[in-house]
Amino acid sequence: MAPDMAPEADDGSVPGAGTGRGLTRRGVLGAAAVAGAVVGVAGLSGCGSGDATARSAHGRQRTAQASGPVPTGVQSAATLAENAKPGSADWRIARLGAPDAIEGYTDKASARPGEPVALSVSTTASGFTVSAYRVGWYGGAQARLVWRSARMPGKRQAAPVIEPATRTVKAGWKPSLTLDTRDWPEGAYLLRLDAVNGSQRWVPLVLRSQDAHGRVLVMHGTATWQAYNTWGGTSLYQGVNGSYGSRALKVSFDRPYTDEGAEKFLVYERALVVLAERLGLPLAYTTGIDVHTDPSILGGATAVLCLGHDEYWTPQQRQSVTKARDAGTNIAFLGANTCFRRIRVEDDGRTVVCYKTDYRDDPAYMLDRALTTTDFRSGPAADPESSMTGVLYEGYPTDAPYVVHSPDHWLFEGTGVRAGDSFDHLVGVEYDRVTPGAPTPRPIEILAHSPLVCNGDHSHSDTAYYTARSGAGVFASGTMRWVEGLMAGGHDDGGDHGMDARTAAFVTKVTENLLNAFALGPAENHRPAPKDNVQAVYG
């Protein structure tokens, strides 16, 4: 994809003053966004380090209390009972067929169980069926057939419409059927469209929870799914001629997804859902847009899981997740490039807005610059994501071994790793690192410090862990391949990246340690506090 060009800042965070790393498909961050944000918020970094001693002392006290055996996790009778049901070995797509053979979309990216969901389908076949598969463990099958339609008449629906001002594609199709979800349990679903001519496509759907109190909340990145969707000719990255300049400024959920229909979910999210359900954790489900719309879902959650690629956030979503952290909810960032884009949602969450480098054309620019849709770290109103995640996105593309730095950390228990042990290809294709000088919670411990080369520049990817004042633990993997690593070396990894079964075993054990601990509530109450090693690592 054509790279986004780094915007000119309005608030003193002038892009272009950095190291030159991070020339990305998302932007010539090169220096740009990273360094600009650091310049703009240098004072905050100093303030943040001022209370590190008090927090470290508090952490040492907690460490002493946590010595000896610690709880390993909690389980949910409901999750265990659901996953004891027979799975469906035939849930995968066997044949796509032509791009227009069959495709569809729902009128809601997420719904509550019992809420009707309209499904619009276009097909060149005379008929089709719909099968609703809930993703989970199910004895290793990974999905369970919850419902299947009767044969429905097929028809080819109208061509999409592109709104000229924002180059937004909308299909505008008529509903083909309405799904009755009253007996469907909460969770992540794949609706499989099967045309009578053998062609198949996915339509993803989240049946979200109304309450997450005492549960681990899985937050799906639906805004990011849509940002990359090129169906109909435009995405937030490119237009009908493939150029960045002709990209959409707004993208709509009122259209199918390209290719098999659920690529972002399948690659960056599914394996984590399967693992969490295998562990029998008390789980709740939502999306980032739903957190924006109704942040009450975060109340009382033991943890929030941000998955493998969750790039697009509203300021309100970020504020709500940060507030949950500060109330004691653990946060796991299981990817990289998280919370990089500042977006707005319109049309009851059906439209994602991000003007990026054309932010001066965003109507919000003259009304409230803190809501201007561009990169969080860039002007106007620079607010780098590292103040929440602990790490800062740096670049694309890279492919490098993951290198263990702190093998005695509790997250590595049971892995047998030693300092310097590495796992090929686990770092990529985008990465984050702890960035001294950027607004970063302290103390923070770097658990893995992985050398890499990105666009000819040498840098590192960091896995990091810190605890908030509330006692909440915050984990950041620092690599976009963490969730993919759960499938490495198996029949579902697609042969991507060359990761092997040894890597899968390592990532799985670390993630199990993480999820079991985070399900217990504020991590500082039962796990050792982080040992700040940023100075030792970066000098």
Side-chain angles (χ1 to χ4, degrees), residues 155-241:
K155 68 175 182 178
R156 184 78 180 271
Q157 301 235 31
V161 173
I162 300 181
E163 298 178 354
T166 58
R167 300 179 287 276
T168 305
V169 174
K170 292 186 177 180
W173 294 345
K174 295 180 179 179
S176 304
L177 69 160
T178 298
L179 311 181
D180 182 351
T181 65
R182 279 178 293 180
D183 297 324
W184 299 16
E186 301 167 358
Y189 282 78
L190 290 167
L191 308 177
R192 195 180 70 198
L193 310 180
D194 289 272
V196 295
N197 63 13
S199 299
Q200 301 171 307
R201 285 294 187 288
W202 293 123
V203 178
L205 175 68
V206 176
L207 282 194
R208 68 183 187 272
S209 307
Q210 185 167 352
D211 175 53
H213 190 86
R215 295 195 275 174
V216 174
L217 181 62
V218 180
M219 186 171 65
H220 295 281
T222 52
T224 300
W225 302 355
Q226 197 55 247
Y228 284 86
N229 183 18
T230 58
W231 191 92
T234 70
S235 71
L236 291 180
Y237 293 90
Q238 65 184 64
V240 292
N241 64 2

Coordinates of all heavy atoms in Angstrom, one line a residue, residues 155-241:
K155 N -29.9 -13.7 -5.5 CA -30.0 -12.7 -6.5 C -28.8 -11.8 -6.5 O -28.1 -11.7 -5.4 CB -31.3 -11.8 -6.3 CG -31.3 -10.9 -5.1 CD -32.5 -10.0 -5.1 CE -32.5 -9.1 -3.9 NZ -33.7 -8.2 -3.9
R156 N -28.5 -11.2 -7.6 CA -27.4 -10.2 -7.7 C -27.9 -8.9 -7.3 O -28.9 -8.3 -7.9 CB -26.9 -10.2 -9.1 CG -25.6 -9.4 -9.3 CD -24.4 -10.0 -8.8 NE -23.2 -9.2 -9.0 CZ -22.5 -9.2 -10.1 NH1 -22.8 -10.0 -11.1 NH2 -21.4 -8.4 -10.2
Q157 N -27.3 -8.3 -6.3 CA -27.8 -7.0 -5.8 C -27.1 -5.8 -6.6 O -26.1 -6.1 -7.4 CB -27.6 -6.8 -4.3 CG -28.3 -7.9 -3.5 CD -29.2 -7.3 -2.5 OE1 -29.8 -6.2 -2.6 NE2 -29.4 -8.1 -1.4
A158 N -27.5 -4.6 -6.4 CA -27.0 -3.5 -7.1 C -25.6 -3.2 -6.9 O -25.0 -3.5 -5.9 CB -27.9 -2.2 -6.8
A159 N -25.0 -2.5 -7.8 CA -23.6 -2.0 -7.7 C -23.5 -1.0 -6.5 O -24.5 -0.3 -6.3 CB -23.1 -1.4 -9.0
P160 N -22.4 -0.9 -5.9 CA -22.2 0.0 -4.8 C -22.2 1.5 -5.2 O -21.9 1.7 -6.4 CB -20.9 -0.4 -4.1 CG -20.1 -1.0 -5.2 CD -21.1 -1.7 -6.1
V161 N -22.4 2.4 -4.3 CA -22.4 3.8 -4.6 C -21.2 4.4 -3.8 O -20.9 4.0 -2.7 CB -23.7 4.5 -4.1 CG1 -23.5 6.0 -4.2 CG2 -24.9 4.0 -4.9
I162 N -20.4 5.3 -4.5 CA -19.3 5.9 -3.9 C -19.7 7.4 -3.7 O -20.0 8.1 -4.6 CB -18.0 5.8 -4.7 CG1 -17.6 4.4 -4.9 CG2 -16.9 6.6 -4.0 CD1 -16.3 4.2 -5.7
E163 N -19.6 7.8 -2.4 CA -20.0 9.2 -2.1 C -18.8 10.1 -2.5 O -17.7 9.9 -1.9 CB -20.3 9.4 -0.6 CG -21.5 8.6 -0.2 CD -21.9 8.6 1.3 OE1 -21.1 9.2 2.0 OE2 -22.9 8.1 1.6
P164 N -18.9 11.0 -3.4 CA -17.7 11.8 -4.0 C -16.9 12.5 -2.9 O -15.7 12.5 -3.0 CB -18.4 12.7 -5.0 CG -19.7 12.1 -5.3 CD -20.2 11.4 -4.0
A165 N -17.6 13.2 -2.0 CA -16.8 14.1 -1.1 C -15.8 13.3 -0.2 O -14.7 13.8 0.0 CB -17.8 14.9 -0.2
T166 N -16.2 12.1 0.2 CA -15.3 11.4 1.1 C -14.9 10.1 0.5 O -14.1 9.3 1.2 CB -16.0 11.1 2.5 OG1 -17.2 10.4 2.2 CG2 -16.3 12.4 3.2
R167 N -15.3 9.8 -0.7 CA -15.0 8.5 -1.4 C -15.4 7.3 -0.6 O -14.7 6.3 -0.6 CB -13.5 8.5 -1.8 CG -13.1 9.7 -2.7 CD -11.7 9.7 -3.0 NE -10.8 10.1 -2.0 CZ -10.6 11.4 -1.6 NH1 -11.1 12.4 -2.3 NH2 -9.8 11.7 -0.6
T168 N -16.5 7.4 0.1 CA -17.0 6.3 1.0 C -17.9 5.4 0.1 O -18.8 5.8 -0.6 CB -17.9 6.9 2.1 OG1 -17.1 7.9 2.8 CG2 -18.4 5.8 3.0
V169 N -17.6 4.1 0.2 CA -18.3 3.1 -0.5 C -19.4 2.5 0.4 O -19.2 2.1 1.5 CB -17.4 1.9 -1.0 CG1 -18.3 0.8 -1.6 CG2 -16.4 2.4 -1.9
K170 N -20.7 2.5 -0.2 CA -21.8 1.9 0.5 C -22.5 1.0 -0.5 O -22.8 1.4 -1.6 CB -22.8 3.0 1.0 CG -22.2 3.8 2.2 CD -23.3 4.7 2.8 CE -22.7 5.5 3.9 NZ -23.7 6.4 4.5
A171 N -22.8 -0.2 -0.1 CA -23.4 -1.2 -0.9 C -24.9 -0.8 -1.1 O -25.4 -0.9 -2.2 CB -23.3 -2.6 -0.4
G172 N -25.6 -0.5 0.0 CA -27.0 -0.2 -0.1 C -27.9 -1.3 -0.5 O -29.0 -1.1 -1.1
W173 N -27.5 -2.5 -0.2 CA -28.3 -3.7 -0.6 C -29.5 -3.8 0.3 O -29.6 -3.5 1.5 CB -27.5 -4.9 -0.5 CG -26.4 -5.0 -1.5 CD1 -26.2 -4.2 -2.6 CD2 -25.2 -5.9 -1.5 NE1 -25.0 -4.5 -3.2 CE2 -24.4 -5.6 -2.6 CE3 -24.9 -6.9 -0.6 CZ2 -23.3 -6.3 -2.9 CZ3 -23.7 -7.6 -0.9 CH2 -22.9 -7.3 -2.0
K174 N -30.5 -4.5 -0.3 CA -31.7 -4.9 0.5 C -31.5 -6.1 1.4 O -30.7 -7.0 1.0 CB -32.9 -5.1 -0.4 CG -33.3 -3.9 -1.2 CD -34.5 -4.3 -2.2 CE -34.9 -3.0 -3.0 NZ -36.1 -3.4 -3.9
P175 N -32.0 -6.2 2.6 CA -31.8 -7.3 3.4 C -32.4 -8.6 2.8 O -33.4 -8.6 2.1 CB -32.6 -7.0 4.7 CG -32.7 -5.5 4.7 CD -32.8 -5.1 3.3
S176 N -31.6 -9.7 2.9 CA -32.0 -11.0 2.3 C -32.8 -11.8 3.4 O -33.6 -12.6 3.0 CB -30.8 -11.7 1.8 OG -30.1 -11.0 0.9
L177 N -32.4 -11.7 4.6 CA -33.1 -12.4 5.7 C -32.7 -11.7 7.0 O -31.7 -10.9 7.1 CB -32.7 -13.9 5.8 CG -31.3 -14.3 6.1 CD1 -31.3 -15.7 6.6 CD2 -30.3 -14.1 5.0
T178 N -33.4 -12.0 8.1 CA -33.2 -11.5 9.4 C -32.8 -12.6 10.3 O -33.6 -13.6 10.4 CB -34.3 -10.7 10.0 OG1 -34.6 -9.6 9.1 CG2 -34.0 -10.2 11.4
L179 N -31.7 -12.5 11.1 CA -31.3 -13.6 12.0 C -31.9 -13.4 13.3 O -31.9 -12.3 13.9 CB -29.8 -13.6 12.1 CG -29.0 -13.5 10.8 CD1 -27.5 -13.5 11.1 CD2 -29.3 -14.7 9.9
D180 N -32.5 -14.4 13.9 CA -33.1 -14.4 15.2 C -32.0 -15.0 16.1 O -31.7 -16.2 16.1 CB -34.3 -15.3 15.3 CG -35.0 -15.3 16.6 OD1 -34.4 -14.8 17.6 OD2 -36.1 -15.8 16.7
T181 N -31.4 -14.1 16.9 CA -30.3 -14.6 17.8 C -30.6 -14.9 19.2 O -29.8 -14.9 20.1 CB -29.2 -13.4 17.8 OG1 -29.7 -12.3 18.4 CG2 -28.8 -13.1 16.4
R182 N -31.9 -15.1 19.5 CA -32.4 -15.3 20.9 C -31.7 -16.4 21.6 O -31.5 -16.4 22.8 CB -33.9 -15.5 20.9 CG -34.7 -14.2 20.8 CD -36.2 -14.4 20.8 NE -36.6 -15.1 19.6 CZ -37.8 -15.5 19.3 NH1 -38.8 -15.2 20.2 NH2 -38.2 -16.1 18.2
D183 N -31.4 -17.5 20.9 CA -30.8 -18.7 21.5 C -29.3 -18.8 21.3 O -28.7 -19.8 21.5 CB -31.5 -19.9 21.0 CG -33.0 -20.0 21.4 OD1 -33.3 -19.5 22.5 OD2 -33.8 -20.4 20.6
W184 N -28.7 -17.7 20.8 CA -27.3 -17.7 20.5 C -26.5 -17.2 21.7 O -26.8 -16.1 22.2 CB -26.9 -16.9 19.3 CG -27.6 -17.3 18.0 CD1 -28.6 -18.1 17.8 CD2 -27.2 -16.8 16.7 NE1 -29.0 -18.2 16.5 CE2 -28.1 -17.4 15.8 CE3 -26.3 -15.9 16.3 CZ2 -28.0 -17.1 14.4 CZ3 -26.2 -15.6 14.9 CH2 -27.1 -16.3 14.0
P185 N -25.5 -17.9 22.2 CA -24.7 -17.4 23.3 C -23.8 -16.2 22.9 O -23.4 -16.1 21.7 CB -23.9 -18.6 23.8 CG -23.8 -19.5 22.6 CD -25.1 -19.3 21.8
E186 N -23.4 -15.4 23.8 CA -22.4 -14.3 23.5 C -21.2 -14.9 22.9 O -20.8 -16.0 23.2 CB -22.1 -13.6 24.8 CG -23.2 -13.0 25.6 CD -22.8 -12.6 27.0 OE1 -21.7 -12.8 27.4 OE2 -23.7 -12.0 27.7
G187 N -20.5 -14.1 22.1 CA -19.2 -14.5 21.6 C -19.0 -14.0 20.2 O -19.7 -13.2 19.6
A188 N -17.9 -14.5 19.6 CA -17.5 -14.1 18.2 C -18.0 -15.2 17.2 O -17.8 -16.4 17.4 CB -15.9 -14.0 18.1
Y189 N -18.7 -14.7 16.2 CA -19.3 -15.6 15.2 C -18.7 -15.3 13.8 O -18.4 -14.2 13.4 CB -20.8 -15.3 15.2 CG -21.6 -15.9 16.4 CD1 -21.5 -15.3 17.6 CD2 -22.3 -17.1 16.2 CE1 -22.2 -15.9 18.7 CE2 -22.9 -17.7 17.3 CZ -22.9 -17.1 18.5 OH -23.6 -17.6 19.6
L190 N -18.8 -16.4 13.1 CA -18.5 -16.4 11.6 C -19.8 -16.9 11.0 O -20.2 -18.1 11.2 CB -17.3 -17.3 11.3 CG -16.0 -16.7 11.7 CD1 -14.9 -17.8 11.6 CD2 -15.6 -15.5 10.9
L191 N -20.4 -16.0 10.2 CA -21.6 -16.5 9.4 C -21.0 -16.9 8.1 O -20.4 -16.1 7.3 CB -22.6 -15.3 9.2 CG -23.0 -14.6 10.5 CD1 -23.9 -13.4 10.1 CD2 -23.7 -15.5 11.4
R192 N -21.3 -18.2 7.7 CA -20.8 -18.7 6.5 C -21.9 -18.7 5.4 O -22.9 -19.3 5.7 CB -20.2 -20.1 6.6 CG -19.3 -20.5 5.4 CD -18.7 -21.9 5.5 NE -19.8 -22.9 5.4 CZ -19.6 -24.2 5.9 NH1 -18.5 -24.5 6.4 NH2 -20.6 -25.0 5.7
L193 N -21.6 -18.0 4.3 CA -22.5 -18.0 3.2 C -22.2 -19.1 2.3 O -21.0 -19.1 1.8 CB -22.5 -16.7 2.5 CG -22.6 -15.4 3.4 CD1 -22.6 -14.1 2.5 CD2 -23.9 -15.4 4.2
D194 N -23.1 -20.0 2.0 CA -22.8 -21.1 1.0 C -23.8 -21.0 -0.1 O -25.0 -21.3 0.0 CB -23.1 -22.5 1.8 CG -22.0 -22.8 2.8 OD1 -21.0 -23.4 2.4 OD2 -22.2 -22.4 4.0
A195 N -23.2 -20.7 -1.3 CA -24.0 -20.6 -2.5 C -24.2 -22.0 -3.1 O -23.4 -22.9 -2.8 CB -23.3 -19.8 -3.6
V196 N -25.3 -22.3 -3.7 CA -25.6 -23.6 -4.2 C -24.6 -24.0 -5.3 O -24.5 -25.2 -5.6 CB -27.0 -23.7 -4.8 CG1 -28.0 -23.5 -3.7 CG2 -27.3 -22.7 -5.9
N197 N -23.9 -23.1 -5.9 CA -22.8 -23.4 -6.8 C -21.5 -23.8 -6.2 O -20.5 -24.0 -6.9 CB -22.6 -22.3 -7.8 CG -22.1 -21.0 -7.2 OD1 -21.7 -21.0 -6.0 ND2 -22.2 -19.9 -7.9
G198 N -21.5 -23.8 -4.8 CA -20.3 -24.2 -4.1 C -19.4 -23.1 -3.6 O -18.5 -23.3 -2.8
S199 N -19.7 -21.9 -4.0 CA -18.9 -20.7 -3.5 C -19.2 -20.4 -2.1 O -20.4 -20.5 -1.7 CB -19.0 -19.5 -4.4 OG -18.6 -19.8 -5.7
Q200 N -18.3 -19.9 -1.3 CA -18.5 -19.6 0.1 C -17.8 -18.2 0.5 O -16.8 -17.9 -0.1 CB -17.9 -20.7 1.0 CG -18.5 -22.1 0.8 CD -17.7 -23.2 1.5 OE1 -16.5 -23.3 1.4 NE2 -18.5 -24.0 2.3
R201 N -18.4 -17.6 1.5 CA -17.8 -16.4 2.1 C -18.1 -16.3 3.6 O -19.1 -16.9 4.0 CB -18.3 -15.1 1.4 CG -17.7 -14.8 0.0 CD -16.3 -14.5 0.0 NE -15.8 -14.0 -1.3 CZ -15.6 -14.8 -2.4 NH1 -15.9 -16.1 -2.3 NH2 -15.2 -14.3 -3.5
W202 N -17.3 -15.5 4.3 CA -17.6 -15.2 5.7 C -18.3 -13.9 5.9 O -18.0 -12.9 5.1 CB -16.3 -15.2 6.6 CG -15.6 -16.5 6.7 CD1 -14.3 -16.7 6.4 CD2 -16.0 -17.7 7.3 NE1 -13.9 -17.9 6.7 CE2 -15.0 -18.6 7.3 CE3 -17.3 -18.1 7.8 CZ2 -15.1 -19.9 7.8 CZ3 -17.4 -19.4 8.3 CH2 -16.3 -20.2 8.3
V203 N -19.1 -13.8 6.9 CA -19.5 -12.5 7.4 C -19.3 -12.5 8.9 O -19.9 -13.3 9.6 CB -21.0 -12.2 7.1 CG1 -21.4 -10.8 7.7 CG2 -21.3 -12.2 5.6
P204 N -18.4 -11.7 9.5 CA -18.1 -11.7 10.9 C -19.2 -11.0 11.7 O -19.8 -10.0 11.2 CB -16.8 -11.0 11.1 CG -16.8 -10.1 9.9 CD -17.5 -10.7 8.8
L205 N -19.5 -11.5 12.9 CA -20.5 -10.8 13.8 C -20.1 -11.1 15.2 O -19.7 -12.2 15.6 CB -21.9 -11.4 13.5 CG -23.0 -11.0 14.5 CD1 -23.3 -9.5 14.2 CD2 -24.3 -11.8 14.3
V206 N -20.2 -10.1 16.1 CA -19.9 -10.2 17.5 C -21.2 -10.1 18.3 O -22.0 -9.1 18.1 CB -18.9 -9.1 18.0 CG1 -18.8 -9.3 19.5 CG2 -17.6 -9.3 17.3
L207 N -21.6 -11.1 19.0 CA -22.7 -11.0 20.0 C -22.1 -10.6 21.3 O -21.5 -11.3 22.0 CB -23.5 -12.4 20.1 CG -24.4 -12.7 18.9 CD1 -25.3 -13.9 19.4 CD2 -25.2 -11.5 18.5
R208 N -22.3 -9.3 21.6 CA -21.6 -8.7 22.7 C -22.4 -8.9 24.0 O -23.6 -9.1 24.1 CB -21.4 -7.2 22.4 CG -22.7 -6.4 22.4 CD -22.4 -4.9 22.0 NE -23.5 -4.0 22.2 CZ -24.4 -3.8 21.2 NH1 -24.3 -4.4 20.1 NH2 -25.5 -3.0 21.4
S209 N -21.6 -8.8 25.1 CA -22.1 -8.9 26.4 C -22.7 -7.6 26.9 O -22.2 -6.5 26.6 CB -21.0 -9.4 27.3 OG -20.3 -10.6 26.8
Q210 N -23.6 -7.7 27.8 CA -24.2 -6.5 28.4 C -23.4 -6.1 29.6 O -23.4 -5.0 30.0 CB -25.7 -6.7 28.8 CG -26.4 -5.5 29.3 CD -27.9 -5.6 29.3 OE1 -28.4 -6.6 28.8 NE2 -28.5 -4.7 29.9
D211 N -22.8 -7.1 30.3 CA -22.1 -6.9 31.5 C -20.8 -7.7 31.5 O -20.8 -8.9 31.1 CB -23.0 -7.2 32.7 CG -22.2 -7.1 34.0 OD1 -21.7 -6.0 34.3 OD2 -22.2 -8.1 34.8
A212 N -19.7 -7.1 32.0 CA -18.4 -7.8 32.1 C -17.9 -7.9 33.5 O -16.7 -8.2 33.7 CB -17.4 -7.2 31.2
H213 N -18.7 -7.6 34.5 CA -18.3 -7.6 35.9 C -17.7 -8.9 36.3 O -18.4 -10.0 36.1 CB -19.4 -7.2 36.8 CG -19.0 -6.9 38.2 ND1 -18.5 -5.7 38.6 CD2 -18.9 -7.7 39.3 CE1 -18.2 -5.7 39.9 NE2 -18.4 -7.0 40.3
G214 N -16.5 -8.9 36.8 CA -15.8 -10.2 37.2 C -15.4 -11.1 36.0 O -15.0 -12.2 36.3
R215 N -15.4 -10.5 34.8 CA -15.0 -11.3 33.7 C -13.9 -10.7 32.9 O -13.6 -9.5 33.0 CB -16.2 -11.5 32.7 CG -17.4 -12.3 33.4 CD -18.4 -12.8 32.4 NE -19.4 -11.8 32.1 CZ -20.3 -11.9 31.1 NH1 -20.3 -13.0 30.4 NH2 -21.2 -11.0 31.0
V216 N -13.3 -11.5 32.0 CA -12.2 -11.0 31.1 C -12.9 -10.6 29.8 O -13.7 -11.3 29.2 CB -11.2 -12.1 30.8 CG1 -10.2 -11.7 29.7 CG2 -10.5 -12.5 32.1
L217 N -12.7 -9.3 29.5 CA -13.5 -8.7 28.3 C -12.6 -8.8 27.1 O -11.5 -8.2 27.0 CB -13.9 -7.3 28.7 CG -14.7 -6.5 27.6 CD1 -16.0 -7.2 27.3 CD2 -14.8 -5.1 28.0
V218 N -13.1 -9.5 26.1 CA -12.4 -9.5 24.8 C -13.0 -8.4 23.9 O -14.2 -8.3 23.7 CB -12.7 -10.9 24.1 CG1 -12.0 -10.9 22.7 CG2 -12.2 -12.0 24.9
M219 N -12.1 -7.5 23.5 CA -12.5 -6.3 22.7 C -12.0 -6.4 21.3 O -10.9 -6.2 21.0 CB -11.9 -5.0 23.4 CG -12.4 -3.7 22.8 SD -11.9 -2.3 23.7 CE -10.1 -2.3 23.5
H220 N -13.0 -6.7 20.4 CA -12.6 -6.9 19.0 C -12.4 -5.6 18.3 O -13.1 -4.6 18.5 CB -13.7 -7.7 18.3 CG -13.9 -9.1 18.8 ND1 -13.0 -10.1 18.4 CD2 -14.7 -9.6 19.7 CE1 -13.4 -11.2 19.1 NE2 -14.4 -11.0 19.9
G221 N -11.4 -5.6 17.3 CA -11.0 -4.3 16.7 C -11.8 -4.1 15.4 O -11.2 -4.0 14.3
T222 N -13.1 -4.0 15.4 CA -13.9 -3.9 14.2 C -13.6 -2.6 13.4 O -13.7 -2.6 12.2 CB -15.4 -3.9 14.5 OG1 -15.7 -3.0 15.5 CG2 -15.8 -5.3 15.0
A223 N -13.2 -1.5 14.1 CA -12.9 -0.3 13.3 C -11.7 -0.5 12.4 O -11.6 0.0 11.3 CB -12.6 0.9 14.3
T224 N -10.7 -1.3 12.9 CA -9.5 -1.6 12.1 C -9.9 -2.6 11.0 O -9.3 -2.4 9.9 CB -8.4 -2.2 13.0 OG1 -8.1 -1.2 14.1 CG2 -7.2 -2.6 12.3
W225 N -10.8 -3.5 11.3 CA -11.2 -4.4 10.2 C -11.7 -3.5 9.0 O -11.3 -3.8 7.8 CB -12.4 -5.3 10.6 CG -12.2 -6.2 11.7 CD1 -11.0 -6.4 12.5 CD2 -13.2 -7.0 12.3 NE1 -11.3 -7.3 13.5 CE2 -12.6 -7.7 13.4 CE3 -14.5 -7.2 12.1 CZ2 -13.3 -8.6 14.2 CZ3 -15.2 -8.1 12.9 CH2 -14.6 -8.8 13.9
Q226 N -12.5 -2.5 9.3 CA -13.1 -1.7 8.2 C -12.1 -0.8 7.6 O -12.2 -0.5 6.4 CB -14.3 -1.0 8.8 CG -15.3 -0.4 7.8 CD -15.8 -1.5 6.8 OE1 -15.5 -1.5 5.6 NE2 -16.6 -2.5 7.4
A227 N -11.2 -0.3 8.4 CA -10.2 0.7 7.8 C -9.4 0.1 6.6 O -9.1 0.8 5.7 CB -9.2 1.1 8.9
Y228 N -9.1 -1.2 6.7 CA -8.4 -1.9 5.7 C -9.2 -2.5 4.6 O -8.7 -3.0 3.6 CB -7.5 -3.0 6.3 CG -6.3 -2.4 7.0 CD1 -6.4 -2.0 8.4 CD2 -5.1 -2.3 6.4 CE1 -5.3 -1.5 9.1 CE2 -3.9 -1.8 7.1 CZ -4.1 -1.4 8.4 OH -3.0 -0.9 9.1
N229 N -10.5 -2.4 4.7 CA -11.4 -3.1 3.8 C -11.4 -2.3 2.5 O -11.8 -1.2 2.4 CB -12.8 -3.2 4.4 CG -13.8 -3.9 3.5 OD1 -13.4 -4.7 2.6 ND2 -15.1 -3.8 3.8
T230 N -11.1 -3.0 1.4 CA -11.1 -2.3 0.1 C -12.3 -2.7 -0.8 O -12.3 -2.4 -2.0 CB -9.8 -2.7 -0.7 OG1 -9.7 -4.1 -0.9 CG2 -8.5 -2.1 0.0
W231 N -13.3 -3.3 -0.2 CA -14.4 -3.7 -1.0 C -15.1 -2.5 -1.7 O -15.3 -1.5 -1.0 CB -15.4 -4.5 -0.2 CG -16.5 -5.1 -1.0 CD1 -16.5 -6.4 -1.5 CD2 -17.7 -4.5 -1.5 NE1 -17.6 -6.6 -2.2 CE2 -18.4 -5.5 -2.2 CE3 -18.3 -3.3 -1.3 CZ2 -19.6 -5.2 -2.8 CZ3 -19.5 -3.0 -1.9 CH2 -20.2 -4.0 -2.7
G232 N -15.3 -2.6 -3.0 CA -15.9 -1.5 -3.7 C -14.9 -0.5 -4.2 O -15.3 0.4 -4.9
G233 N -13.7 -0.6 -3.8 CA -12.6 0.2 -4.4 C -11.9 1.1 -3.5 O -10.8 1.6 -3.9
T234 N -12.4 1.4 -2.3 CA -11.7 2.4 -1.4 C -11.6 1.8 0.0 O -12.5 1.2 0.5 CB -12.3 3.8 -1.4 OG1 -13.6 3.7 -0.7 CG2 -12.6 4.3 -2.8
S235 N -10.5 2.2 0.7 CA -10.3 2.0 2.1 C -9.7 3.3 2.7 O -9.5 4.3 1.9 CB -9.3 0.8 2.3 OG -8.0 1.2 1.9
L236 N -9.3 3.2 3.9 CA -8.6 4.4 4.5 C -7.2 4.5 4.0 O -6.4 5.4 4.4 CB -8.7 4.4 6.0 CG -10.1 4.6 6.6 CD1 -10.0 4.6 8.1 CD2 -10.7 6.0 6.1
Y237 N -6.7 3.6 3.2 CA -5.4 3.5 2.7 C -5.2 3.8 1.2 O -4.2 4.2 0.7 CB -4.7 2.2 3.0 CG -4.5 2.0 4.5 CD1 -5.5 1.5 5.3 CD2 -3.4 2.5 5.1 CE1 -5.4 1.4 6.7 CE2 -3.2 2.4 6.5 CZ -4.2 1.8 7.2 OH -4.1 1.7 8.6
Q238 N -6.3 3.4 0.4 CA -6.2 3.6 -1.0 C -7.5 3.8 -1.7 O -8.6 3.5 -1.1 CB -5.5 2.3 -1.6 CG -6.4 1.1 -1.5 CD -5.7 -0.2 -2.0 OE1 -4.6 -0.6 -1.5 NE2 -6.2 -0.8 -3.1
G239 N -7.5 4.4 -2.9 CA -8.7 4.6 -3.6 C -8.8 3.6 -4.8 O -8.1 2.7 -4.9
V240 N -9.8 3.9 -5.7 CA -10.0 3.0 -6.8 C -8.9 2.9 -7.7 O -8.7 1.8 -8.4 CB -11.3 3.5 -7.6 CG1 -12.5 3.3 -6.7 CG2 -11.1 4.9 -8.0
N241 N -8.0 3.9 -7.8 CA -6.8 3.7 -8.6 C -5.6 3.2 -7.9 O -4.5 3.2 -8.4 CB -6.5 5.1 -9.3 CG -6.1 6.2 -8.3 OD1 -6.0 5.9 -7.1 ND2 -5.8 7.4 -8.8

